[in-house]
Structure formats: structure tokens, C-alpha cells
Amino acid sequence: MGATCGHWMASKELGDIVLIDVIPGLPQGKGLDLLEAMPIEKRDSFVLGTEDYKDTANSDIVVITAGIARKPGMSRDDLLNTNYKIMQDVVSKVVTHSPNCVLIIVSNPLDAMAQTAYKLSGFSRNRVIGMAGVLDSARFRAFIAMELGVSVENVTAFVLGGHGDTMVPLPRYSTVAGVPITELMEKSTIERLVQRTRDGGAEIVKYLKTGSAYYAPSAAVTEMVEAILKDKKKILPCAAYLEGEYGIHGLFVGVPCKLGSRGIEDVWEIHLTDEEMAALKKSADSVKELVAVVGV
Ligand code: LAC
């Protein structure tokens, strides 16, 4: 997924990119390959692959995708203990070499890994962001567009909560050309698309067998990176450390965030119905259980 992030970002010329991995030669090979595509793509992003964190020094943004991925039948939560250890190692090195960066966490289980990175980095909460809502919303948007036979460009969607089985797609705030989908589709159709969104990651894992999705997740990361580097003040659903917003304290949960040069510059508290709020609380409770296991 890290290499695919690099691919999307270089193709948009978002900046210079360093790919880092622990497998000897792999990041160097991928980095050089991507660099050699730049003349054709007419992009001046410099791409470097390395196993040495020194080469990443003073990065503006660091995207952490490190960790094992799911196999068919596994939930994201099954990755907790292994990825916690990997995250401990990676975060300490990143913080040493890029003390002023914005961290974007992609490793699963997403919200618990974002909380781990936040606690271990000592960064202020605006500088640690979990990627999940943009991906989950993109899946929901793709399914809505296919169902209605309309352009994906017409479709906006909001998915809040943790990046897991309890995620909270919000049909009321999901629209086609500004029209809520609740006006355009039967309830049962919406429920089917919501369920497919919740199972979106597992659907891909089932096909791939040896790993999880990477094109859509890394496109989601790229949208977040672009919003931060260009100080766009873009409203995107991201996992953020909440300190009372939505009645949730001391926990990473997916909520609408304003992304700009300082990272998360604001958390929007949109009005939720009692049912939606209950679903968000339930999702937060499942994140709470995971972070308790690793003690962050
Ligand atoms: C997914 C993984 C990346 O949802 O969590 O595909």
C-alpha cells in the first residue's frame, strides 16, 4: 500500500517521496522504478526508496502503512498485537527523524493504531490522523453511483465511526447532486449498500487471499495528503482523537475533520439522530475495547 500511495502522489506531483521498508532492496527497487516513470508522466517528484530512516529526515507528512494485512476470514482486530509492536518501532524512528511531521496512520486495526501512534509520538492531536473515513465513504460512493447509474462525481457520502464492522455510514448526509439518497432509493436498497460498505475491505481480502486492498486506501491517503500540503481546508471524514466531541473522550473515532497545513484544524460536530448517535457510540466502544488490550 505504501508503494501505491507513492504512485498516486507522484502522479499528482504532490512533493518528493521517500519509500521505506524493512525488506532489503524492495523499497529501493520500487522507488527507482517509480522515479523512472516521472519523465513520461511529466512530473518532477523525486522518489527515493530506502531502508534507512535518516533518508526520511524532516518529512512534512509521514504515512504509516507498516504492519501485517488480513487473510481471508480475519477481522482487522485480529492484527492488533502484531501491528502494535510494529507501530511502536516505526513511530519512535519517525518521531526522531521528522519531529515536526503530520502523521497519517493507515495500519489496522486503524483507530487503535492511530491511538498508539498518538500516545507514543507525543504529538499534539491535530498532527495524528487516521485514514479510514475517506476510504469507507469512497466505497459507499462507488456503490451508490453504480446502483443509480450516475457519475461518481455526483455522489458525496459520509461514513463515520471506527474502521471496522461497526462503522456508521450516514445515508441522510449522502447525496447525489445535492439530493439525499434517502429520496432516491428504497430503504432496503440503501441497507444493502451500507452493508456492502461495511464489508468492503473483507470483500477485497476474499478475492486477493494474500492481502488487503491497496488502490482505494492509498487514493484516500493521497486525498488527505493533498489537502494538508495545499492547505485546502477540506472537510473529510478521518479518525481523530476526540476530547469531548460527540460526547467521546480520549479516543480515536472517525468524524468529519477540516484538513489544512496544520493537519486536523477542526472537528465538525454535525447533528446526528438518536439512532445515528447510538451507532457512533457503539463503534467508539469497540475501539475502546481494542485500545484497552494494548493499553494506549
Ligand atoms: C480496507 C483495509 C485497508 O478496508 O482496512 O481495505
Side-chain angles (χ1 to χ4, degrees), residues 1 70 76 79 106-108 110 131-132 135-136 139 163 167 197-202 204-205 212-214 216-217:
M1 194 193 294
R70 291 194 270 176
R76 294 180 183 90
L79 311 173
V106 188
S107 313
N108 272 316
L110 186 278
M131 185 295 293
L135 166 64
D136 297 325
R139 287 184 172 141
H163 182 51
M167 71 177 71
T197 302
R198 285 209 179 96
D199 297 336
I204 306 280
V205 171
S212 61
Y214 46 92

mmCIF file with all atom_site columns, all heavy atoms in Angstrom, residues 1 70 76 79 106-108 110 131-132 135-136 139 163 167 197-202 204-205 212-214 216-217, ligand 1:
data_model
loop_
_atom_site.group_PDB
_atom_site.id
_atom_site.type_symbol
_atom_site.label_atom_id
_atom_site.label_alt_id
_atom_site.label_comp_id
_atom_site.label_asym_id
_atom_site.label_entity_id
_atom_site.label_seq_id
_atom_site.pdbx_PDB_ins_code
_atom_site.Cartn_x
_atom_site.Cartn_y
_atom_site.Cartn_z
_atom_site.occupancy
_atom_site.B_iso_or_equiv
_atom_site.pdbx_formal_charge
_atom_site.auth_seq_id
_atom_site.auth_comp_id
_atom_site.auth_asym_id
_atom_site.auth_atom_id
_atom_site.pdbx_PDB_model_num
ATOM   1   N N   . MET A 1 1   ? 0.823   -1.210  0.000  1.00 0.00 ? 1   MET A N   1
ATOM   2   C CA  . MET A 1 1   ? 0.000   0.000   0.000  1.00 0.00 ? 1   MET A CA  1
ATOM   3   C C   . MET A 1 1   ? 0.856   1.258   0.000  1.00 0.00 ? 1   MET A C   1
ATOM   4   O O   . MET A 1 1   ? 0.513   2.259   -0.625 1.00 0.00 ? 1   MET A O   1
ATOM   5   C CB  . MET A 1 1   ? -0.941  0.014   1.201  1.00 0.00 ? 1   MET A CB  1
ATOM   6   C CG  . MET A 1 1   ? -2.014  1.066   1.018  1.00 0.00 ? 1   MET A CG  1
ATOM   7   S SD  . MET A 1 1   ? -2.940  1.415   2.471  1.00 0.00 ? 1   MET A SD  1
ATOM   8   C CE  . MET A 1 1   ? -3.792  -0.112  2.746  1.00 0.00 ? 1   MET A CE  1
ATOM   9   N N   . ARG A 1 70  ? -4.709  -8.443  6.568  1.00 0.00 ? 70  ARG A N   1
ATOM   10  C CA  . ARG A 1 70  ? -5.612  -9.564  6.855  1.00 0.00 ? 70  ARG A CA  1
ATOM   11  C C   . ARG A 1 70  ? -5.496  -10.680 5.832  1.00 0.00 ? 70  ARG A C   1
ATOM   12  O O   . ARG A 1 70  ? -5.160  -10.446 4.681  1.00 0.00 ? 70  ARG A O   1
ATOM   13  C CB  . ARG A 1 70  ? -7.056  -9.080  6.771  1.00 0.00 ? 70  ARG A CB  1
ATOM   14  C CG  . ARG A 1 70  ? -7.450  -8.166  7.845  1.00 0.00 ? 70  ARG A CG  1
ATOM   15  C CD  . ARG A 1 70  ? -8.938  -8.026  7.861  1.00 0.00 ? 70  ARG A CD  1
ATOM   16  N NE  . ARG A 1 70  ? -9.431  -6.951  7.017  1.00 0.00 ? 70  ARG A NE  1
ATOM   17  C CZ  . ARG A 1 70  ? -10.711 -6.705  6.824  1.00 0.00 ? 70  ARG A CZ  1
ATOM   18  N NH1 . ARG A 1 70  ? -11.617 -7.476  7.376  1.00 0.00 ? 70  ARG A NH1 1
ATOM   19  N NH2 . ARG A 1 70  ? -11.088 -5.701  6.076  1.00 0.00 ? 70  ARG A NH2 1
ATOM   20  N N   . ARG A 1 76  ? -10.061 -7.077  11.064 1.00 0.00 ? 76  ARG A N   1
ATOM   21  C CA  . ARG A 1 76  ? -8.941  -6.135  11.247 1.00 0.00 ? 76  ARG A CA  1
ATOM   22  C C   . ARG A 1 76  ? -8.403  -6.239  12.672 1.00 0.00 ? 76  ARG A C   1
ATOM   23  O O   . ARG A 1 76  ? -7.221  -6.047  12.919 1.00 0.00 ? 76  ARG A O   1
ATOM   24  C CB  . ARG A 1 76  ? -9.400  -4.702  10.964 1.00 0.00 ? 76  ARG A CB  1
ATOM   25  C CG  . ARG A 1 76  ? -9.794  -4.459  9.507  1.00 0.00 ? 76  ARG A CG  1
ATOM   26  C CD  . ARG A 1 76  ? -10.230 -3.013  9.302  1.00 0.00 ? 76  ARG A CD  1
ATOM   27  N NE  . ARG A 1 76  ? -10.679 -2.751  7.946  1.00 0.00 ? 76  ARG A NE  1
ATOM   28  C CZ  . ARG A 1 76  ? -11.937 -2.879  7.550  1.00 0.00 ? 76  ARG A CZ  1
ATOM   29  N NH1 . ARG A 1 76  ? -12.873 -3.284  8.393  1.00 0.00 ? 76  ARG A NH1 1
ATOM   30  N NH2 . ARG A 1 76  ? -12.265 -2.608  6.298  1.00 0.00 ? 76  ARG A NH2 1
ATOM   31  N N   . LEU A 1 79  ? -5.337  -8.294  13.943 1.00 0.00 ? 79  LEU A N   1
ATOM   32  C CA  . LEU A 1 79  ? -3.971  -7.840  13.655 1.00 0.00 ? 79  LEU A CA  1
ATOM   33  C C   . LEU A 1 79  ? -3.375  -7.053  14.815 1.00 0.00 ? 79  LEU A C   1
ATOM   34  O O   . LEU A 1 79  ? -2.206  -6.660  14.788 1.00 0.00 ? 79  LEU A O   1
ATOM   35  C CB  . LEU A 1 79  ? -3.977  -6.947  12.406 1.00 0.00 ? 79  LEU A CB  1
ATOM   36  C CG  . LEU A 1 79  ? -4.729  -7.489  11.183 1.00 0.00 ? 79  LEU A CG  1
ATOM   37  C CD1 . LEU A 1 79  ? -4.782  -6.423  10.088 1.00 0.00 ? 79  LEU A CD1 1
ATOM   38  C CD2 . LEU A 1 79  ? -4.048  -8.738  10.645 1.00 0.00 ? 79  LEU A CD2 1
ATOM   39  N N   . VAL A 1 106 ? -2.382  4.332   8.667  1.00 0.00 ? 106 VAL A N   1
ATOM   40  C CA  . VAL A 1 106 ? -3.202  3.501   7.790  1.00 0.00 ? 106 VAL A CA  1
ATOM   41  C C   . VAL A 1 106 ? -3.263  2.054   8.287  1.00 0.00 ? 106 VAL A C   1
ATOM   42  O O   . VAL A 1 106 ? -4.178  1.300   7.956  1.00 0.00 ? 106 VAL A O   1
ATOM   43  C CB  . VAL A 1 106 ? -2.651  3.544   6.340  1.00 0.00 ? 106 VAL A CB  1
ATOM   44  C CG1 . VAL A 1 106 ? -3.572  2.846   5.359  1.00 0.00 ? 106 VAL A CG1 1
ATOM   45  C CG2 . VAL A 1 106 ? -2.428  4.976   5.881  1.00 0.00 ? 106 VAL A CG2 1
ATOM   46  N N   . SER A 1 107 ? -2.285  1.665   9.113  1.00 0.00 ? 107 SER A N   1
ATOM   47  C CA  . SER A 1 107 ? -2.202  0.274   9.590  1.00 0.00 ? 107 SER A CA  1
ATOM   48  C C   . SER A 1 107 ? -3.459  -0.083  10.391 1.00 0.00 ? 107 SER A C   1
ATOM   49  O O   . SER A 1 107 ? -4.045  0.766   11.068 1.00 0.00 ? 107 SER A O   1
ATOM   50  C CB  . SER A 1 107 ? -0.972  0.110   10.476 1.00 0.00 ? 107 SER A CB  1
ATOM   51  O OG  . SER A 1 107 ? 0.160   0.690   9.867  1.00 0.00 ? 107 SER A OG  1
ATOM   52  N N   . ASN A 1 108 ? -3.817  -1.344  10.347 1.00 0.00 ? 108 ASN A N   1
ATOM   53  C CA  . ASN A 1 108 ? -5.009  -1.823  11.055 1.00 0.00 ? 108 ASN A CA  1
ATOM   54  C C   . ASN A 1 108 ? -4.644  -2.561  12.342 1.00 0.00 ? 108 ASN A C   1
ATOM   55  O O   . ASN A 1 108 ? -3.535  -3.080  12.456 1.00 0.00 ? 108 ASN A O   1
ATOM   56  C CB  . ASN A 1 108 ? -5.797  -2.766  10.139 1.00 0.00 ? 108 ASN A CB  1
ATOM   57  C CG  . ASN A 1 108 ? -6.781  -2.017  9.273  1.00 0.00 ? 108 ASN A CG  1
ATOM   58  O OD1 . ASN A 1 108 ? -7.468  -1.123  9.757  1.00 0.00 ? 108 ASN A OD1 1
ATOM   59  N ND2 . ASN A 1 108 ? -6.857  -2.381  8.002  1.00 0.00 ? 108 ASN A ND2 1
ATOM   60  N N   . LEU A 1 110 ? -7.328  0.189   12.471 1.00 0.00 ? 110 LEU A N   1
ATOM   61  C CA  . LEU A 1 110 ? -6.969  1.570   12.203 1.00 0.00 ? 110 LEU A CA  1
ATOM   62  C C   . LEU A 1 110 ? -7.032  2.493   13.409 1.00 0.00 ? 110 LEU A C   1
ATOM   63  O O   . LEU A 1 110 ? -6.069  3.176   13.731 1.00 0.00 ? 110 LEU A O   1
ATOM   64  C CB  . LEU A 1 110 ? -7.874  2.073   11.065 1.00 0.00 ? 110 LEU A CB  1
ATOM   65  C CG  . LEU A 1 110 ? -7.629  3.449   10.483 1.00 0.00 ? 110 LEU A CG  1
ATOM   66  C CD1 . LEU A 1 110 ? -8.232  4.559   11.277 1.00 0.00 ? 110 LEU A CD1 1
ATOM   67  C CD2 . LEU A 1 110 ? -6.146  3.704   10.259 1.00 0.00 ? 110 LEU A CD2 1
ATOM   68  N N   . MET A 1 131 ? -6.485  7.326   8.623  1.00 0.00 ? 131 MET A N   1
ATOM   69  C CA  . MET A 1 131 ? -7.204  7.232   7.337  1.00 0.00 ? 131 MET A CA  1
ATOM   70  C C   . MET A 1 131 ? -8.204  6.089   7.397  1.00 0.00 ? 131 MET A C   1
ATOM   71  O O   . MET A 1 131 ? -7.819  4.967   7.679  1.00 0.00 ? 131 MET A O   1
ATOM   72  C CB  . MET A 1 131 ? -6.223  6.942   6.200  1.00 0.00 ? 131 MET A CB  1
ATOM   73  C CG  . MET A 1 131 ? -6.832  6.934   4.803  1.00 0.00 ? 131 MET A CG  1
ATOM   74  S SD  . MET A 1 131 ? -8.052  5.640   4.403  1.00 0.00 ? 131 MET A SD  1
ATOM   75  C CE  . MET A 1 131 ? -7.073  4.171   4.447  1.00 0.00 ? 131 MET A CE  1
ATOM   76  N N   . ALA A 1 132 ? -9.440  6.412   7.166  1.00 0.00 ? 132 ALA A N   1
ATOM   77  C CA  . ALA A 1 132 ? -10.419 5.338   7.042  1.00 0.00 ? 132 ALA A CA  1
ATOM   78  C C   . ALA A 1 132 ? -11.710 5.868   6.454  1.00 0.00 ? 132 ALA A C   1
ATOM   79  O O   . ALA A 1 132 ? -12.249 5.309   5.506  1.00 0.00 ? 132 ALA A O   1
ATOM   80  C CB  . ALA A 1 132 ? -10.707 4.672   8.375  1.00 0.00 ? 132 ALA A CB  1
ATOM   81  N N   . LEU A 1 135 ? -11.805 6.375   2.716  1.00 0.00 ? 135 LEU A N   1
ATOM   82  C CA  . LEU A 1 135 ? -11.910 5.088   2.010  1.00 0.00 ? 135 LEU A CA  1
ATOM   83  C C   . LEU A 1 135 ? -13.328 4.513   2.121  1.00 0.00 ? 135 LEU A C   1
ATOM   84  O O   . LEU A 1 135 ? -13.927 4.121   1.109  1.00 0.00 ? 135 LEU A O   1
ATOM   85  C CB  . LEU A 1 135 ? -10.903 4.105   2.619  1.00 0.00 ? 135 LEU A CB  1
ATOM   86  C CG  . LEU A 1 135 ? -11.067 2.630   2.253  1.00 0.00 ? 135 LEU A CG  1
ATOM   87  C CD1 . LEU A 1 135 ? -10.848 2.419   0.755  1.00 0.00 ? 135 LEU A CD1 1
ATOM   88  C CD2 . LEU A 1 135 ? -10.096 1.762   3.049  1.00 0.00 ? 135 LEU A CD2 1
ATOM   89  N N   . ASP A 1 136 ? -13.842 4.458   3.339  1.00 0.00 ? 136 ASP A N   1
ATOM   90  C CA  . ASP A 1 136 ? -15.171 3.867   3.517  1.00 0.00 ? 136 ASP A CA  1
ATOM   91  C C   . ASP A 1 136 ? -16.228 4.678   2.761  1.00 0.00 ? 136 ASP A C   1
ATOM   92  O O   . ASP A 1 136 ? -17.142 4.117   2.152  1.00 0.00 ? 136 ASP A O   1
ATOM   93  C CB  . ASP A 1 136 ? -15.501 3.765   5.014  1.00 0.00 ? 136 ASP A CB  1
ATOM   94  C CG  . ASP A 1 136 ? -14.535 2.839   5.746  1.00 0.00 ? 136 ASP A CG  1
ATOM   95  O OD1 . ASP A 1 136 ? -14.104 1.840   5.141  1.00 0.00 ? 136 ASP A OD1 1
ATOM   96  O OD2 . ASP A 1 136 ? -14.202 3.113   6.919  1.00 0.00 ? 136 ASP A OD2 1
ATOM   97  N N   . ARG A 1 139 ? -15.990 3.909   -0.967 1.00 0.00 ? 139 ARG A N   1
ATOM   98  C CA  . ARG A 1 139 ? -16.655 2.643   -1.309 1.00 0.00 ? 139 ARG A CA  1
ATOM   99  C C   . ARG A 1 139 ? -18.168 2.856   -1.384 1.00 0.00 ? 139 ARG A C   1
ATOM   100 O O   . ARG A 1 139 ? -18.812 2.417   -2.338 1.00 0.00 ? 139 ARG A O   1
ATOM   101 C CB  . ARG A 1 139 ? -16.307 1.575   -0.261 1.00 0.00 ? 139 ARG A CB  1
ATOM   102 C CG  . ARG A 1 139 ? -14.875 1.087   -0.393 1.00 0.00 ? 139 ARG A CG  1
ATOM   103 C CD  . ARG A 1 139 ? -14.557 -0.036  0.578  1.00 0.00 ? 139 ARG A CD  1
ATOM   104 N NE  . ARG A 1 139 ? -13.233 -0.578  0.283  1.00 0.00 ? 139 ARG A NE  1
ATOM   105 C CZ  . ARG A 1 139 ? -12.343 -0.952  1.192  1.00 0.00 ? 139 ARG A CZ  1
ATOM   106 N NH1 . ARG A 1 139 ? -12.626 -0.880  2.482  1.00 0.00 ? 139 ARG A NH1 1
ATOM   107 N NH2 . ARG A 1 139 ? -11.177 -1.434  0.824  1.00 0.00 ? 139 ARG A NH2 1
ATOM   108 N N   . HIS A 1 163 ? -13.102 2.194   11.876 1.00 0.00 ? 163 HIS A N   1
ATOM   109 C CA  . HIS A 1 163 ? -12.919 1.495   10.604 1.00 0.00 ? 163 HIS A CA  1
ATOM   110 C C   . HIS A 1 163 ? -13.023 -0.002  10.886 1.00 0.00 ? 163 HIS A C   1
ATOM   111 O O   . HIS A 1 163 ? -12.030 -0.703  10.989 1.00 0.00 ? 163 HIS A O   1
ATOM   112 C CB  . HIS A 1 163 ? -11.543 1.848   10.040 1.00 0.00 ? 163 HIS A CB  1
ATOM   113 C CG  . HIS A 1 163 ? -11.253 1.240   8.704  1.00 0.00 ? 163 HIS A CG  1
ATOM   114 N ND1 . HIS A 1 163 ? -12.096 1.335   7.630  1.00 0.00 ? 163 HIS A ND1 1
ATOM   115 C CD2 . HIS A 1 163 ? -10.173 0.536   8.273  1.00 0.00 ? 163 HIS A CD2 1
ATOM   116 C CE1 . HIS A 1 163 ? -11.548 0.707   6.601  1.00 0.00 ? 163 HIS A CE1 1
ATOM   117 N NE2 . HIS A 1 163 ? -10.390 0.203   6.962  1.00 0.00 ? 163 HIS A NE2 1
ATOM   118 N N   . MET A 1 167 ? -18.656 0.441   11.689 1.00 0.00 ? 167 MET A N   1
ATOM   119 C CA  . MET A 1 167 ? -18.615 1.773   11.068 1.00 0.00 ? 167 MET A CA  1
ATOM   120 C C   . MET A 1 167 ? -20.035 2.275   10.802 1.00 0.00 ? 167 MET A C   1
ATOM   121 O O   . MET A 1 167 ? -20.978 1.492   10.675 1.00 0.00 ? 167 MET A O   1
ATOM   122 C CB  . MET A 1 167 ? -17.778 1.768   9.785  1.00 0.00 ? 167 MET A CB  1
ATOM   123 C CG  . MET A 1 167 ? -18.401 1.045   8.630  1.00 0.00 ? 167 MET A CG  1
ATOM   124 S SD  . MET A 1 167 ? -17.426 1.114   7.094  1.00 0.00 ? 167 MET A SD  1
ATOM   125 C CE  . MET A 1 167 ? -16.026 0.085   7.431  1.00 0.00 ? 167 MET A CE  1
ATOM   126 N N   . THR A 1 197 ? -20.674 -1.678  2.083  1.00 0.00 ? 197 THR A N   1
ATOM   127 C CA  . THR A 1 197 ? -19.628 -0.735  2.504  1.00 0.00 ? 197 THR A CA  1
ATOM   128 C C   . THR A 1 197 ? -18.927 -1.256  3.759  1.00 0.00 ? 197 THR A C   1
ATOM   129 O O   . THR A 1 197 ? -17.690 -1.267  3.849  1.00 0.00 ? 197 THR A O   1
ATOM   130 C CB  . THR A 1 197 ? -20.247 0.655   2.769  1.00 0.00 ? 197 THR A CB  1
ATOM   131 O OG1 . THR A 1 197 ? -20.889 1.096   1.571  1.00 0.00 ? 197 THR A OG1 1
ATOM   132 C CG2 . THR A 1 197 ? -19.200 1.661   3.202  1.00 0.00 ? 197 THR A CG2 1
ATOM   133 N N   . ARG A 1 198 ? -19.743 -1.696  4.740  1.00 0.00 ? 198 ARG A N   1
ATOM   134 C CA  . ARG A 1 198 ? -19.140 -2.234  5.984  1.00 0.00 ? 198 ARG A CA  1
ATOM   135 C C   . ARG A 1 198 ? -18.225 -3.418  5.686  1.00 0.00 ? 198 ARG A C   1
ATOM   136 O O   . ARG A 1 198 ? -17.188 -3.594  6.314  1.00 0.00 ? 198 ARG A O   1
ATOM   137 C CB  . ARG A 1 198 ? -20.246 -2.727  6.928  1.00 0.00 ? 198 ARG A CB  1
ATOM   138 C CG  . ARG A 1 198 ? -20.983 -1.624  7.605  1.00 0.00 ? 198 ARG A CG  1
ATOM   139 C CD  . ARG A 1 198 ? -21.507 -2.068  8.965  1.00 0.00 ? 198 ARG A CD  1
ATOM   140 N NE  . ARG A 1 198 ? -22.197 -0.960  9.580  1.00 0.00 ? 198 ARG A NE  1
ATOM   141 C CZ  . ARG A 1 198 ? -23.525 -0.779  9.515  1.00 0.00 ? 198 ARG A CZ  1
ATOM   142 N NH1 . ARG A 1 198 ? -24.285 -1.677  8.937  1.00 0.00 ? 198 ARG A NH1 1
ATOM   143 N NH2 . ARG A 1 198 ? -24.067 0.289   10.052 1.00 0.00 ? 198 ARG A NH2 1
ATOM   144 N N   . ASP A 1 199 ? -18.617 -4.220  4.704  1.00 0.00 ? 199 ASP A N   1
ATOM   145 C CA  . ASP A 1 199 ? -17.840 -5.419  4.362  1.00 0.00 ? 199 ASP A CA  1
ATOM   146 C C   . ASP A 1 199 ? -16.830 -5.144  3.249  1.00 0.00 ? 199 ASP A C   1
ATOM   147 O O   . ASP A 1 199 ? -16.232 -6.073  2.700  1.00 0.00 ? 199 ASP A O   1
ATOM   148 C CB  . ASP A 1 199 ? -18.788 -6.537  3.878  1.00 0.00 ? 199 ASP A CB  1
ATOM   149 C CG  . ASP A 1 199 ? -19.750 -6.979  4.971  1.00 0.00 ? 199 ASP A CG  1
ATOM   150 O OD1 . ASP A 1 199 ? -19.414 -6.781  6.155  1.00 0.00 ? 199 ASP A OD1 1
ATOM   151 O OD2 . ASP A 1 199 ? -20.832 -7.505  4.646  1.00 0.00 ? 199 ASP A OD2 1
ATOM   152 N N   . GLY A 1 200 ? -16.675 -3.875  2.874  1.00 0.00 ? 200 GLY A N   1
ATOM   153 C CA  . GLY A 1 200 ? -15.884 -3.521  1.684  1.00 0.00 ? 200 GLY A CA  1
ATOM   154 C C   . GLY A 1 200 ? -14.456 -4.037  1.726  1.00 0.00 ? 200 GLY A C   1
ATOM   155 O O   . GLY A 1 200 ? -13.937 -4.549  0.730  1.00 0.00 ? 200 GLY A O   1
ATOM   156 N N   . GLY A 1 201 ? -13.810 -3.898  2.879  1.00 0.00 ? 201 GLY A N   1
ATOM   157 C CA  . GLY A 1 201 ? -12.426 -4.369  2.999  1.00 0.00 ? 201 GLY A CA  1
ATOM   158 C C   . GLY A 1 201 ? -12.364 -5.886  2.883  1.00 0.00 ? 201 GLY A C   1
ATOM   159 O O   . GLY A 1 201 ? -11.522 -6.444  2.169  1.00 0.00 ? 201 GLY A O   1
ATOM   160 N N   . ALA A 1 202 ? -13.282 -6.566  3.572  1.00 0.00 ? 202 ALA A N   1
ATOM   161 C CA  . ALA A 1 202 ? -13.305 -8.042  3.568  1.00 0.00 ? 202 ALA A CA  1
ATOM   162 C C   . ALA A 1 202 ? -13.608 -8.589  2.176  1.00 0.00 ? 202 ALA A C   1
ATOM   163 O O   . ALA A 1 202 ? -13.100 -9.646  1.783  1.00 0.00 ? 202 ALA A O   1
ATOM   164 C CB  . ALA A 1 202 ? -14.348 -8.540  4.565  1.00 0.00 ? 202 ALA A CB  1
ATOM   165 N N   . ILE A 1 204 ? -12.632 -7.406  -0.644 1.00 0.00 ? 204 ILE A N   1
ATOM   166 C CA  . ILE A 1 204 ? -11.379 -7.404  -1.414 1.00 0.00 ? 204 ILE A CA  1
ATOM   167 C C   . ILE A 1 204 ? -10.436 -8.508  -0.899 1.00 0.00 ? 204 ILE A C   1
ATOM   168 O O   . ILE A 1 204 ? -9.811  -9.230  -1.681 1.00 0.00 ? 204 ILE A O   1
ATOM   169 C CB  . ILE A 1 204 ? -10.675 -6.031  -1.321 1.00 0.00 ? 204 ILE A CB  1
ATOM   170 C CG1 . ILE A 1 204 ? -11.601 -4.888  -1.732 1.00 0.00 ? 204 ILE A CG1 1
ATOM   171 C CG2 . ILE A 1 204 ? -9.359  -6.025  -2.106 1.00 0.00 ? 204 ILE A CG2 1
ATOM   172 C CD1 . ILE A 1 204 ? -11.776 -4.656  -3.185 1.00 0.00 ? 204 ILE A CD1 1
ATOM   173 N N   . VAL A 1 205 ? -10.331 -8.616  0.423  1.00 0.00 ? 205 VAL A N   1
ATOM   174 C CA  . VAL A 1 205 ? -9.449  -9.644  1.014  1.00 0.00 ? 205 VAL A CA  1
ATOM   175 C C   . VAL A 1 205 ? -9.855  -11.030 0.522  1.00 0.00 ? 205 VAL A C   1
ATOM   176 O O   . VAL A 1 205 ? -9.005  -11.875 0.216  1.00 0.00 ? 205 VAL A O   1
ATOM   177 C CB  . VAL A 1 205 ? -9.511  -9.589  2.569  1.00 0.00 ? 205 VAL A CB  1
ATOM   178 C CG1 . VAL A 1 205 ? -8.789  -10.783 3.184  1.00 0.00 ? 205 VAL A CG1 1
ATOM   179 C CG2 . VAL A 1 205 ? -8.890  -8.295  3.091  1.00 0.00 ? 205 VAL A CG2 1
ATOM   180 N N   . SER A 1 212 ? -4.718  -7.281  1.599  1.00 0.00 ? 212 SER A N   1
ATOM   181 C CA  . SER A 1 212 ? -5.936  -6.470  1.573  1.00 0.00 ? 212 SER A CA  1
ATOM   182 C C   . SER A 1 212 ? -5.838  -5.429  0.467  1.00 0.00 ? 212 SER A C   1
ATOM   183 O O   . SER A 1 212 ? -4.859  -5.371  -0.271 1.00 0.00 ? 212 SER A O   1
ATOM   184 C CB  . SER A 1 212 ? -6.162  -5.837  2.941  1.00 0.00 ? 212 SER A CB  1
ATOM   185 O OG  . SER A 1 212 ? -5.089  -5.011  3.278  1.00 0.00 ? 212 SER A OG  1
ATOM   186 N N   . ALA A 1 213 ? -6.887  -4.596  0.397  1.00 0.00 ? 213 ALA A N   1
ATOM   187 C CA  . ALA A 1 213 ? -6.988  -3.600  -0.674 1.00 0.00 ? 213 ALA A CA  1
ATOM   188 C C   . ALA A 1 213 ? -5.816  -2.626  -0.624 1.00 0.00 ? 213 ALA A C   1
ATOM   189 O O   . ALA A 1 213 ? -5.260  -2.383  0.446  1.00 0.00 ? 213 ALA A O   1
ATOM   190 C CB  . ALA A 1 213 ? -8.289  -2.826  -0.501 1.00 0.00 ? 213 ALA A CB  1
ATOM   191 N N   . TYR A 1 214 ? -5.443  -2.083  -1.772 1.00 0.00 ? 214 TYR A N   1
ATOM   192 C CA  . TYR A 1 214 ? -4.443  -1.017  -1.726 1.00 0.00 ? 214 TYR A CA  1
ATOM   193 C C   . TYR A 1 214 ? -4.716  0.163   -2.654 1.00 0.00 ? 214 TYR A C   1
ATOM   194 O O   . TYR A 1 214 ? -4.356  1.280   -2.333 1.00 0.00 ? 214 TYR A O   1
ATOM   195 C CB  . TYR A 1 214 ? -3.021  -1.542  -1.910 1.00 0.00 ? 214 TYR A CB  1
ATOM   196 C CG  . TYR A 1 214 ? -2.789  -2.533  -3.014 1.00 0.00 ? 214 TYR A CG  1
ATOM   197 C CD1 . TYR A 1 214 ? -2.408  -2.101  -4.280 1.00 0.00 ? 214 TYR A CD1 1
ATOM   198 C CD2 . TYR A 1 214 ? -2.919  -3.894  -2.786 1.00 0.00 ? 214 TYR A CD2 1
ATOM   199 C CE1 . TYR A 1 214 ? -2.159  -3.020  -5.291 1.00 0.00 ? 214 TYR A CE1 1
ATOM   200 C CE2 . TYR A 1 214 ? -2.686  -4.814  -3.800 1.00 0.00 ? 214 TYR A CE2 1
ATOM   201 C CZ  . TYR A 1 214 ? -2.306  -4.361  -5.053 1.00 0.00 ? 214 TYR A CZ  1
ATOM   202 O OH  . TYR A 1 214 ? -2.079  -5.261  -6.049 1.00 0.00 ? 214 TYR A OH  1
ATOM   203 N N   . ALA A 1 216 ? -7.678  1.732   -3.527 1.00 0.00 ? 216 ALA A N   1
ATOM   204 C CA  . ALA A 1 216 ? -8.604  2.709   -2.925 1.00 0.00 ? 216 ALA A CA  1
ATOM   205 C C   . ALA A 1 216 ? -8.072  3.274   -1.604 1.00 0.00 ? 216 ALA A C   1
ATOM   206 O O   . ALA A 1 216 ? -8.133  4.493   -1.396 1.00 0.00 ? 216 ALA A O   1
ATOM   207 C CB  . ALA A 1 216 ? -9.994  2.095   -2.745 1.00 0.00 ? 216 ALA A CB  1
ATOM   208 N N   . PRO A 1 217 ? -7.508  2.426   -0.715 1.00 0.00 ? 217 PRO A N   1
ATOM   209 C CA  . PRO A 1 217 ? -6.969  3.018   0.515  1.00 0.00 ? 217 PRO A CA  1
ATOM   210 C C   . PRO A 1 217 ? -5.871  4.052   0.231  1.00 0.00 ? 217 PRO A C   1
ATOM   211 O O   . PRO A 1 217 ? -5.817  5.107   0.864  1.00 0.00 ? 217 PRO A O   1
ATOM   212 C CB  . PRO A 1 217 ? -6.386  1.810   1.263  1.00 0.00 ? 217 PRO A CB  1
ATOM   213 C CG  . PRO A 1 217 ? -7.134  0.636   0.746  1.00 0.00 ? 217 PRO A CG  1
ATOM   214 C CD  . PRO A 1 217 ? -7.477  0.949   -0.680 1.00 0.00 ? 217 PRO A CD  1
HETATM 215 C C1  . LAC B 2 .   ? -9.586  -1.981  3.921  1.00 0.00 ? 1   LAC B C1  1
HETATM 216 C C2  . LAC B 2 .   ? -8.409  -2.102  4.788  1.00 0.00 ? 1   LAC B C2  1
HETATM 217 C C3  . LAC B 2 .   ? -7.271  -1.327  4.285  1.00 0.00 ? 1   LAC B C3  1
HETATM 218 O O1  . LAC B 2 .   ? -10.620 -1.507  4.395  1.00 0.00 ? 1   LAC B O1  1
HETATM 219 O O2  . LAC B 2 .   ? -8.702  -1.782  6.111  1.00 0.00 ? 1   LAC B O2  1
HETATM 220 O O3  . LAC B 2 .   ? -9.490  -2.335  2.754  1.00 0.00 ? 1   LAC B O3  1
#
